Amino acid sequence: SYKLGDFGLASGVSAQSDEEGDSRYLAREMLDKPIDLTKCDIFSLGATLYECCLGGRSLPGCGQEWQDIRDGKLLHLPDTCPSFYRILREMMHPDPKKRPSANEILSRPELDGGNAFLHSPSHRKTMKRSLSW
C-alpha cells in the first residue's frame, strides 16, 4: 500500500514561510481566493494520480500544458482503466463545484471500496508501470 504525505512542505509552527506548494498540483482557483479548499485538495489528489498514470512523465509547473490541464484537457491514457480515467477527469474538473467530494469518490460503485479497481489486471499493469519511476 501507499501513503501520500506532506510532500516536503511541512514546517514548524514557529517557522515563517510563504511557500504555496508545488504548482504542478495546484488548482487554478488557488491563484485567486478559493471558496472551498477541499475542492482544491481533490484537484491536487487527482493531479497526483494523473501523474502516476503518465508513467514517469512529470506534470508541467507552468506554460500552455499547465493551462490545458486546468481547462480539463487531459492526455489520453490508454493503459488506464476507463472508469478510473473518468474519476480523474471529475477530480480535475475546471469548475471546483463540479468536482466530487472525497466521500463521493470513495462511494463510487466502480471502485467497490477500492477492491474492484485495485485488483483489476489493467490497474496492476498501470500502477506497476507508473510507479517504476
Side-chain angles (χ1 to χ4, degrees):
S1 68
Y2 299 92
K3 184 176 183 179
L4 297 175
D6 65 62
F7 307 103
L9 298 175
S11 59
V13 176
S14 63
Q16 297 293 323
S17 175
D18 291 332
E19 188 171 350
E20 294 292 329
D22 191 325
S23 64
R24 294 176 295 166
Y25 312 101
L26 188 71
R28 181 182 282 147
E29 65 270 17
M30 286 296 291
L31 298 174
D32 298 320
K33 188 170 184 168
I35 296 170
D36 185 351
L37 290 177
T38 61
K39 297 298 184 166
C40 295
D41 290 342
I42 293 295
F43 179 91
S44 297
L45 177 59
T48 301
L49 296 170
Y50 177 65
E51 184 177 51
C52 288
C53 293
L54 290 174
R57 183 173 179 268
S58 294
L59 293 178
C62 60
Q64 186 60 51
E65 187 180 3
W66 187 93
Q67 297 289 340
D68 288 346
I69 290 170
R70 277 131 195 96
D71 288 336
K73 299 173 187 169
L74 304 182
L75 296 175
H76 178 65
L77 303 171
D79 292 332
T80 300
C81 176
S83 60
F84 185 66
Y85 183 68
R86 281 191 298 276
I87 293 169
L88 283 179
R89 292 184 62 79
E90 291 172 20
M91 292 173 74
M92 297 175 68
H93 196 284
D95 181 353
K97 293 175 186 168
K98 294 184 179 180
R99 292 180 201 142
S101 69
N103 283 333
E104 289 169 337
I105 294 166
L106 292 172
S107 66
R108 295 287 293 261
E110 61 264 48
L111 292 181
D112 184 28
N115 294 323
F117 174 71
L118 293 175
H119 298 294
S120 75
S122 73
H123 172 70
R124 283 195 300 272
K125 177 182 174 187
T126 299
M127 288 308 288
K128 183 177 180 184
R129 180 180 54 84
S130 299
L131 296 173
S132 64
W133 49 270

